[in-house]
Amino acid sequence: MRKKTSLLVLMLFIIFSLFSFRDKNPEQSWIRINLLGYPVNGSKVAVWASKSDQTPALFELIDEKTKKVVYTSLNVKPFGAYGPFKQTARINFSGFDKPGRFYIKADGVLSPLVIINDDVYKGAADFCLRYMRQQRSGFNPYLKDSCHTHDGFSLYGAKAGIKDSTHFDASGGWHDASDYLQYSTTSANATYHLLMAYRDFPAVFTDEKQANGLDGKNGKADVLDEAKWGLDWLLKMHPKKKVMFNQLADDRDHISMRIPKEDSQYGKGFERPLYFINGEPQQRGKFLNATTGTSSTAAKFASAFNLGAKLFKGTDQKYSVLLARKANSALSFALQKPGVTQTASVKSPYIYAEDNWVDDMELALASVGFAKSDLKASKSALAYADREKVTPWLAKDTAAHYQYYPFVNLGHYELAKQLTGAERQKIESYYKEGIEQVWARAKTNAFYRGVPFIWCSNNLTVAFAMQCKWYEELTGDNEFTTLEQANFDWIFGCNPWGTSMVYGLPNWGDTPADPHSAFTLLKNYPIDGGLVDGPVYTNIYNSLIGIKLSEADEYAEFQSDLAVYHDDYGDYSTNEPTMDGTASLIYLLAAKETQAKTASNKTYSLGANVRGDSTLKKVSLVFTGDEFADGGEKILQTLKDENIKASFFLTGNFYRNPKFKSLIKRLKSAGHYLGAHSDKHLLYCDWKNRDSLLVTKKQFDEDLDANYAAMASFGIKERDALYFLPPYEWYNEKITSWTRLKGLQLVNFTPGTRSNADYTFPEMNSSYRTTEEIYKSITNFNEQKANGLNGFYLLLHIGTVAKRKDKFYDRLPDLIRYLKKDGYQLSRIDN
């Protein structure tokens, strides 16, 4: 009897432990998340990290208010040891698509609060603009005071006939980081990112500030005001055709921490030196840089000026003309002596050791095309692109400080958009090659971390996420979407330390509180929106000079032999905010907010995506096929003639049919999307009772796997075709959930037209629809509904039975021209 009682007590204890909300091993296991949140239909992954041997078999999502389990999943992928942890795993809850506030629970461990909605990134880009305004030199709107008004006095300009200590007005711009020196390279790059952010995502940004940064609207988005602040300073740093400066002040700035207006590091009058770009190595004190030419800095000037000229053309014509003229002279300056311009240092060995410059020339020449098409400039840009296909750090696990800068090749993105055919595909392949280098390292760990832990690793992380995003935008290939999201998640808390790397964002989460900044140290001023440097390799940290933590390390248990991060004023290597990194993050946040908005405008039915963004004039032509392909040749030729891409969802039967082999190869070669449509064209659920399944999960899985196996013979991997269209376009919520468990997204045609009736034939009596009826159903819907065909997935068939003589694909040219005439962009369903 006593044994039975003990056994009962033991069983009750086990049950209680399994369902308790209390962490089972609070010192041993953690769940890392994106503290900012996740869009409803986006990639949603957390990381399990444990110092024990435990890895959960399943996890639950628990509603914050009701405390009820709303989602349970086995989608946990173990990865083993990483950094300080013995076990890690990816917890994928992308299949959950309800907005709200939740906790993830696994093996008794609770995550921080998980927020899911399509507004999670709203206002984040504008929030980070606060840090940019706070970094302003000249007049600082945060302090409501002026500083560095005497800048600056030239050095090294003898070859241009400029005596040392000649005064040039160089007041303005941004302080580089927590110090107050200013670099043309980082300022031009930051300016370009801000201009891009406004150009690509104007709807994200608000107008709450005047041009000087003080409160008050001025009719311009604040991000454009900030970009102009950068442009105005760059104009001062390039005052004449053959005069250009690389930096203002130097590392004597680092002697002590102070508020900007108290800057007296350089003696009487607070004069700060302006370093002329002469294309030669420069030495101050005992340190000599490795400058070889004029291109790297001057080309960055040219790019920023050209983009600025384009954006201000409609609102400030005089300013636009000035910028265009300065862009030309900056490009000429860049060509004076091809090579790289490095920064100068006086008291310490730390410089911005930029070692590449052809990427800057590529962007500068690509930017010439912003004003008008320039074939010669594009060809020159392409030649530079071929000289540095992949930004070198992508293939490395280390690099010197700012050795390869910018950290992403913006030229590839801007140039690819101007090219077509094989030339464009070549540039796109350069992006893919670089991403694959990082992916080879990232796929071995649960954080998908492949970015090296060098100084400013967070800047590299943001840049890499942007490259993944641009690659997908250019190609429609979403192979690296999850990798991109993992890098974004890393910045906001899905990292070993569980902290956001952006000061104050989100304000409810763990973010930097004690950064390496005079503003916070001396005055306790918040540096809202500042992106800190990020973790570094432990061996780098141990080799640095002058680092001494000011307090106990709150992240001590998460430090490792791999990398360290400290939220401590004393650590300038991991916790110093940077202006240029923040500007890059502003672009990425604007992109993310726009993407979330776009996703929220999509339409879903029973969990399947049945319409794209209903606010955009985009249409995706979707063709399905199983037995027939009589329209294949004509469809392929029409798409080629009209220069558009479409999407083809084909069964395993179709892929294996030897008669269709040549057609499939040509569809793939032409860049069309090739996806799955089931292997045997099974009917999943009853026509009359949709909830009644006609297949088991095992049958579903095996059939779909066979479909992808058939696709593999054409070199189509599952990761290349993550959208799946169900056979007969008939499914239920269970089929949707099974699809998600396989990491795929179910899609279906947009209801409202009769396009999918193009397979019918006269003997079907009342179900038969003529080509004219089908065509009219499409045009009538477009002309009678508020949003027309915006975001439509128009489903047609690649072939039909011989009994249908009235082939709709004969009208395909007319349909495409109709859509184009009405302003629709036609693209693949995954783009």
Side-chain angles (χ1 to χ4, degrees), residues 21 61-70 103:
F21 276 77
L61 277 182
I62 299 168
D63 187 274
E64 179 198 26
K65 289 184 178 179
T66 67
K67 302 297 187 291
K68 292 181 178 179
V69 174
V70 294
Y103 295 99

Side-chain angles (χ1 to χ4, degrees), residues 418-642:
Q418 300 173 24
L419 301 175
T420 59
E423 289 181 333
R424 174 170 173 147
Q425 291 174 6
K426 180 171 67 171
I427 298 298
E428 292 167 351
S429 74
Y430 296 162
Y431 262 171
K432 185 173 185 178
E433 182 180 347
I435 295 169
E436 286 177 331
Q437 295 278 359
V438 176
W439 176 233
R441 301 189 295 266
K443 64 185 177 182
T444 63
N445 67 80
F447 292 99
Y448 280 0
R449 183 68 182 177
V451 174
F453 291 109
I454 57 177
W455 261 13
C456 294
S457 66
N458 281 343
N459 295 14
L460 271 68
T461 302
V462 170
F464 179 68
M466 287 166 58
Q467 178 161 328
C468 291
K469 179 170 288 296
W470 286 340
Y471 172 75
E472 181 175 353
E473 178 189 328
L474 290 169
T475 66
D477 181 356
N478 57 9
E479 176 182 354
F480 304 112
T481 300
T482 305
L483 178 61
E484 178 226 312
Q485 186 66 35
N487 280 269
F488 182 73
D489 292 344
W490 175 280
I491 294 294
F492 288 101
C494 197
N495 54 58
W497 301 269
T499 182
S500 167
M501 299 288 175
V502 183
Y503 191 103
L505 192 64
N507 62 10
W508 58 83
D510 185 75
T511 78
D514 187 21
H516 185 77
S517 167
F519 275 63
T520 53
L521 177 71
L522 301 178
K523 298 291 186 178
N524 202 29
Y525 294 149
I527 53 168
D528 288 346
L531 174 70
V532 298
D533 281 338
V536 297
Y537 287 119
T538 303
N539 62 342
I540 289 180
Y541 174 77
N542 290 335
S543 69
L544 294 175
I545 301 169
I547 289 183
K548 184 179 180 181
L549 299 187
S550 59
E551 59 187 10
D553 181 7
E554 63 195 284
Y555 298 118
E557 59 188 330
F558 306 123
Q559 316 296 8
S560 68
D561 292 338
L562 174 64
V564 299
Y565 167 76
H566 301 105
D567 182 15
D568 192 297
Y569 160 77
D571 183 0
Y572 59 81
S573 69
T574 72
N575 204 37
E576 181 177 9
T578 62
M579 168 274 300
D580 58 316
T582 301
S584 299
L585 179 63
I586 288 168
Y587 182 93
L588 184 59
L589 285 168
K592 284 292 186 181
E593 181 176 339
T594 301
Q595 184 180 24
K597 282 183 177 180
T598 300
S600 68
N601 291 325
K602 289 184 177 181
T603 303
Y604 291 80
S605 176
L606 300 176
N609 176 214
V610 298
R611 188 172 184 174
D613 188 344
S614 60
T615 68
L616 300 179
K617 296 204 74 168
K618 297 179 71 172
V619 169
S620 296
L621 294 180
V622 174
F623 298 88
T624 60
D626 178 39
E627 298 179 76
F628 309 106
D630 49 287
E633 296 296 336
K634 185 156 192 173
I635 291 168
L636 181 60
Q637 186 61 47
T638 299
L639 297 174
K640 180 180 179 181
D641 293 343
E642 295 295 335

Side-chain angles (χ1 to χ4, degrees), residues 659-708:
K659 293 186 296 184
F660 306 153
K661 187 174 182 179
S662 174
L663 174 62
I664 294 169
K665 286 183 175 180
R666 282 178 289 138
L667 286 170
K668 182 173 184 286
S669 178
H672 301 295
Y673 179 89
L674 293 176
H677 191 44
S678 91
D679 192 59
K680 298 295 187 183
H681 208 244
L682 303 179
L683 182 61
Y684 290 152
C685 42
D686 190 270
W687 285 113
K688 295 182 179 179
N689 182 12
R690 195 167 191 165
D691 290 335
S692 178
L693 285 168
L694 301 179
V695 294
T696 65
K697 185 176 184 300
K698 184 173 184 291
Q699 289 172 321
F700 171 84
D701 287 341
E702 290 176 348
D703 183 73
L704 195 51
D705 289 344
N707 194 173
Y708 277 102

